[in-house]
Amino acid sequence: MLITSPLIDYAKQQPNKIAIDAGSQKITYREFYDHVEQISHYLTHYRRQNPEAEKKIAFLLPNRIEFLEVFLGAAMSGWIAIPLDPKWSEQELRVTLENCQPQLLLVDEMFRGRFSNSSKSFSIWVKQDNPWKDLEIESMDEGTNQSVSDQFSFYMGFTSGTTGIPKAFVRSHRSWLQSFEGSRIEFCFTNDDHILVPGPLVHSTFLYAAVHALYMGATVVLLDKFSPNKVIHCLLSFPIDVIYMVPTMFEALTSTMEQREVHLEEYPLRNILSAGAKWSPQSKRKVAEAFPQANLYEFYGASELSFITILGPDGNRRKPDSVGRAFHGVELSIRDENGNDVKTGEVGKLYVRSELVFSGYYRNEEETNHVLVRDGWATVHDLGWIDEEGYLYLVGREKNMIIYGGLNVYPEEVEKVIKLLPEIDEAIVLGKPDKYWGERVMAVVRTKQGMQITDREIQVHCRKFLAHYKCPREMIRIAELPYTSSGKIARKLLMDRILDSRSEK
C-alpha cells in the first residue's frame, strides 16, 4: 500500500466531494485523482524513455493545489518528490539542486527568473491557467508503476543544521503510513473533517497534515500564505474541525483576535494541533480561552523521527511543561553517555525506536549513522528526562550544552527564564570559550520595541529561578538574529559573528 492508494477509491465513492479548498481554487476528489494520475503517467512514461535516469523530481511551486498534485503524482509513480522553498535565495536553490540532482524540475512561471537555462535538469514551466498542458503524452494507457513498494522512498525534505546548510532527509511510504495510523488513533480524525492547513507545504509538518487529510478522504482548507486575518476569515467561512499550527502562529492569531474583538467561544472546532517548538503554557491558556470547545494537542517530533511524543488534553492540564507521552507505536529510552538507561527522573540522551523514522540522509552515510545508531534505535541528540508516568521533559540539545567548570548548563532552560521578562522579545544563550572555566554562560538578547531593561535586572531575575552557575555572566544586545532556512536561530553562526566582531576590535 502507498500513501496514494486510497485516492482512486475516493474518486469513485465521493467524486464530487471537495478534496482541497484553496479559496479561489477548489478541486473535487475525481478531478484531483485525475490530475495526480496524469502526473504519475507522465513520470512513468519519462522513465521508460530515459531508463538510466534516477527517479527524482524537484519542484518550486506556491502554496496551491498543484503542489499537492505533483507531490502525490510523484509518490504514485515511485519517484522521489523534492519540494523547494520559495524563500531560498538563488544560491541556495543552486546548491540544493546540485546536491540532490533531480532528473526533472518543475517551476511555476512566477519563479522562472530564479533559474538559469544552464540547469542540467530538464525544466518544465508551470502555467497557472493550464498547469499540466506540458505533461500531455501520446498514450495514457501504460498505467502507473505497479512495482512500487511501501519501502520505496517518496519524499526528500530538508532540515537545517546550526550552520544554515540544509541536510536532505528521505522518507519511505511505510514511514508515513505508520504515522497516519498513529494519527488516526491519537487524534480521532474522520473522513468528514475539514482540516485547515495555514502554513507552507514546503515544511514537513504542514505537508504531512495536508497529505494525511487526503489519505483519509477529508477536505483540506489551504492558505496561500499564513496570516492571522486569513485564519480568522477561514474560521468564519468554513466549518473547520481541525487546525495545525506552530506556537508563533497561535500567538499571532490570539493577539489579532483580541485586537479585532473576534469571539469564537461557540465555534465547533474539535482539535487544535501544535508542533515545531515547545508550546508555552501561557499561549495554551490563551488558545483554550479562545476555543473552549477544542481539544488541544501538542506533539514533539523531528524530520528524521516523525512523531515522538504527544501531549493531549489531559496532559496539558496536568503536565503542561512536558512534551507528552510516547506516540502510538513509539518506544522511548533515556541513556547516559555510556549508552545505559538512566533512572526515572534523571537527564540523559533521548533515543527513539519506531517504524516512523526516516530512511537516512541523502548521500550522507556519516550523518545517517549519527542518527540511526543500532538495533532500530535512533536519536537526534536531544536531552531530557521521563517522569514516573512516562511523560517526557526536554532540557535541550546535546550540541548546545554548555560545560561551565565541569557543570552542565542547558541553554534552553536559561532562555526560558529570560523570556519570562516582559521586556524581552528573544533570548539565545551560548557558551563563550573561557581558559579557566571552559565555557562561560553568555546571553544574546533582543528587547521588544520601545522597551528597556538593564543587564543587572536580567541577572537578578535569573538568580530567582536558576543556580548561580547557570546565570549569564555576560549580556550582548542585538537588533537582528541569524536564522536557518527552517526559521530556527542559527546558534553557531551567531557565535561566529560575535567572536569575529570581538577579534576585529
Side-chain angles (χ1 to χ4, degrees), residues 174-238:
R174 181 167 180 78
S175 71
W176 269 32
L177 290 170
Q178 293 296 314
S179 295
F180 291 166
E181 175 63 11
S183 294
R184 182 188 67 81
I185 293 171
E186 298 286 12
F187 305 125
C188 301
F189 292 149
T190 75
N191 176 273
D192 296 323
D193 285 339
H194 286 69
I195 299 178
L196 177 58
V197 181
L201 294 170
V202 73
H203 289 170
S204 58
T205 296
F206 299 109
L207 179 59
Y208 174 87
V211 173
H212 181 220
L214 295 167
Y215 179 85
M216 293 188 299
T219 295
V220 177
V221 179
L222 187 65
L223 296 186
D224 61 342
K225 185 178 182 181
F226 171 77
S227 82
N229 285 318
K230 287 182 178 180
V231 172
I232 291 171
H233 174 75
C234 280
L235 293 172
L236 296 174
S237 305
F238 292 93

Side-chain angles (χ1 to χ4, degrees), residues 322-376:
S322 166
V323 292
R325 56 168 175 77
F327 193 78
H328 175 78
V330 175
E331 296 178 70
L332 305 179
S333 173
I334 303 291
R335 303 176 185 177
D336 62 22
E337 58 187 14
N338 296 317
N340 300 314
D341 288 333
V342 303
K343 296 178 181 179
T344 298
E346 289 186 2
V347 173
K349 187 187 297 186
L350 171 66
Y351 289 80
V352 173
R353 184 161 64 182
S354 79
E355 293 187 87
L356 284 60
V357 301
F358 76 151
S359 303
Y361 295 115
Y362 182 66
R363 293 184 175 177
N364 194 334
E365 184 177 359
E366 181 179 353
E367 287 292 337
T368 297
N369 292 337
H370 196 53
V371 175
L372 302 178
V373 284
R374 64 179 67 89
D375 300 328

Side-chain angles (χ1 to χ4, degrees), residues 93-150:
L93 288 169
R94 183 184 62 79
V95 170
T96 300
L97 290 174
E98 288 177 355
N99 289 340
C100 63
Q101 299 179 343
Q103 279 58 58
L104 287 173
L105 173 64
L106 266 65
V107 181
D108 190 277
E109 281 282 0
M110 67 188 295
F111 301 125
R112 188 167 189 149
R114 310 273 296 274
F115 298 88
S116 68
N117 293 327
S118 61
S119 172
K120 294 180 181 179
S121 300
F122 172 63
S123 300
I124 301 170
W125 308 107
V126 177
K127 301 176 178 63
Q128 292 185 5
D129 57 344
N130 191 356
W132 309 133
K133 180 181 179 181
D134 291 339
L135 298 188
E136 293 177 1
I137 57 178
E138 293 180 2
S139 173
M140 292 287 288
D141 60 2
E142 293 138 318
T144 55
N145 190 344
Q146 299 300 316
S147 63
V148 180
S149 159
D150 65 1

Side-chain angles (χ1 to χ4, degrees), residues 4 35-37 39-40 43 68-78:
T4 54
H35 290 177
V36 169
E37 187 182 37
I39 293 165
S40 177
L43 295 176
L68 293 167
E69 290 173 338
V70 173
F71 186 81
L72 292 174
M76 181 183 285
S77 63

Side-chain angles (χ1 to χ4, degrees), residues 246-317:
V246 298
T248 53
M249 290 180 174
F250 284 115
E251 281 291 313
L253 177 61
T254 53
S255 296
T256 302
M257 288 175 64
E258 290 174 3
Q259 293 167 8
R260 290 180 51 184
E261 297 184 350
V262 175
H263 299 286
L264 297 171
E265 288 86 356
E266 301 301 318
Y267 191 88
L269 183 62
R270 192 174 79 254
N271 286 342
I272 293 175
L273 281 69
S274 176
K278 180 60 185 155
W279 197 7
S280 72
Q282 297 89 341
S283 179
K284 287 181 192 178
R285 282 195 292 271
K286 287 183 181 179
V287 173
E289 291 170 0
F291 302 98
Q293 298 192 58
N295 295 311
L296 271 59
Y297 292 92
E298 177 182 2
F299 56 88
Y300 156 61
S303 300
E304 299 88 345
L305 307 180
S306 190
F307 293 101
I308 298 174
T309 60
I310 176 174
L311 191 66
D314 177 63
N316 273 310
R317 285 190 293 270

